[in-house]
Amino acid sequence: MNVQWYPGHMTRAKRQMQEDIKLVDLVIELVDARVPASSRNPDIDELGRNKYRLILMNKADLADSRMTELWGVFFREKGYFVRTMDARSNSGMKAVSDIIMEACREKLERDRKRGIKNRPVRAMVVGIPNVGKSTFINSYAGKSCAKTGNKPGVTRGNQWIRPDKHVELLDTPGILWPKFEDQEVGLRLALVGSIKDEILNTDELAVKLIGFLTAEYPGLLRERYEVREDEKSAEILMQIAKNRKCMTKGGEPDYSRAAALLIDEFRSGKLGRITLERPE
């Protein structure tokens, strides 16, 4: 399954971010806790060179907590400041304020020695589409400042938001990178909703998800859909269609409806807390 999606506005957004990066002290990168590595745009490391770096693992309520802990250790060993959170429920917002100050401690100390007081930390908020940047900003600011939506590509332009006197945030559009060298990355991003569903083959996507779940979370599909997990993935999808009454008018299993059901229940957390990749 070949997954690629790089609309023209992402090229413009990347150029604008390259201009704006000189205005900030800190780069706050949101990643999806279910795919912490795949949801990192490799261009961000180059963009954020010589800036303080903070990784926020968002949607942690949907991810496997054991894996989230391991990913936190992995990123800290790479030199990043890290926090987990769920922006939709405001979970972890106080910890975010604390770690922003911690990440920029050297900058704040330099300002103090120079007699500069009350200059806010300026941070650029970056991440791929649908990772929750705007939801995070609105939760952090305590008001609706940024457009949100449960689909990729809602934010199209950069905007400054000041949630309090200590921090200024620059919201940026979600950007991917022009080509996924590893198609497993594209597959994982498609599963969590960072690529528009309209360009995807959901039947094939569901079969890939079934293969992963039977290998890494055995018993989960059996308990949820009353299926046999010792079958091939396509056969399991047919069982899901039958057991969930996803049938065509002619009485045949409707693979596409069953695939959409499975993917939706994965994304919403109804299947449980699942992480699609492990730290190396």
Side-chain angles (χ1 to χ4, degrees):
M1 183 175 184
N2 192 296
V3 179
Q4 298 291 342
W5 183 54
Y6 193 71
H9 77 271
M10 291 187 182
T11 302
R12 296 190 297 274
K14 182 180 175 182
R15 284 199 296 263
Q16 186 62 54
M17 289 166 66
Q18 289 169 334
E19 287 295 314
D20 291 339
I21 192 69
K22 63 190 74 169
L23 304 175
V24 305
D25 310 297
L26 171 71
V27 175
I28 300 176
E29 181 181 4
L30 270 75
V31 302
D32 189 315
R34 296 168 295 178
V35 286
S38 293
S39 58
R40 294 196 68 215
N41 185 333
D43 293 339
I44 298 302
D45 280 337
E46 177 63 24
L47 182 74
R49 276 189 313 133
N50 304 319
K51 301 294 180 181
Y52 302 114
R53 300 293 302 277
L54 168 58
I55 291 179
L56 297 181
M57 297 176 64
N58 193 27
K59 305 186 182 183
D61 59 311
L62 300 175
D64 185 330
S65 57
R66 298 166 302 157
M67 290 298 109
T68 300
E69 288 182 14
L70 291 176
W71 277 109
V73 172
F74 175 85
F75 287 135
R76 289 185 186 95
E77 288 178 347
K78 298 287 186 182
Y80 299 99
F81 290 87
V82 183
R83 279 292 183 274
T84 61
M85 65 172 196
D86 172 26
R88 294 173 302 173
S89 67
N90 286 338
S91 174
M93 287 301 114
K94 176 61 168 65
V96 170
S97 294
D98 293 342
I99 202 166
I100 287 175
M101 295 300 110
E102 181 183 348
C104 297
R105 183 182 300 163
E106 292 178 357
K107 178 261 183 192
L108 295 171
E109 182 61 20
R110 285 198 305 270
D111 284 352
R112 188 189 66 79
K113 289 180 178 178
R114 294 171 183 167
I116 302 171
K117 298 180 180 179
N118 301 322
R119 176 186 288 175
V121 170
R122 306 190 91 190
M124 177 182 285
V125 182
V126 301
I128 66 169
N130 205 34
V131 79
K133 296 183 307 302
S134 297
T135 302
F136 157 67
I137 287 173
N138 290 340
S139 296
Y140 188 52
K143 57 186 176 181
S144 182
C145 303
K147 293 180 181 179
T148 63
N150 190 26
K151 60 181 180 179
V154 174
T155 302
R156 291 298 182 92
N158 294 5
Q159 55 179 323
W160 283 101
I161 293 118
R162 189 165 186 174
D164 58 45
K165 65 181 181 180
H166 302 296
V167 179
E168 287 183 348
L169 301 178
L170 178 60
D171 187 19
T172 64
I175 58 170
L176 293 168
W177 50 109
K179 183 176 175 59
F180 302 134
E181 299 297 337
D182 182 355
Q183 275 301 303
E184 288 299 310
V185 170
L187 174 66
R188 295 181 195 118
L189 294 182
L191 282 169
V192 299
S194 289
I195 295 172
K196 283 193 173 181
D197 287 334
E198 291 83 353
I199 70 167
L200 301 173
N201 182 327
T202 54
D203 293 15
E204 191 174 345
L205 204 57
V207 167
K208 294 282 190 179
L209 178 59
I210 289 169
F212 174 83
L213 293 175
T214 53
E216 300 295 337
Y217 293 90
L220 187 152
L221 293 175
R222 182 180 66 247
E223 293 175 14
R224 179 72 182 173
Y225 300 111
E226 299 180 339
V227 298
R228 289 185 54 175
E229 292 191 348
D230 56 352
E231 304 280 359
K232 291 183 177 179
S233 296
E235 175 63 27
I236 293 173
L237 182 60
M238 184 176 75
Q239 291 181 51
I240 292 173
K242 290 179 177 178
N243 293 348
R244 285 302 183 90
K245 304 294 189 293
C246 297
M247 312 297 284
T248 66
K249 289 183 179 180
E252 297 296 320
D254 190 328
Y255 288 94
S256 294
R257 281 180 60 196
L261 170 74
L262 176 66
I263 293 169
D264 180 69
E265 294 202 341
F266 161 70
R267 289 176 180 173
S268 64
K270 291 179 181 177
L271 293 186
R273 300 179 66 166
I274 297 166
T275 299
L276 296 179
E277 57 190 359
R278 277 69 174 136
E280 295 178 0

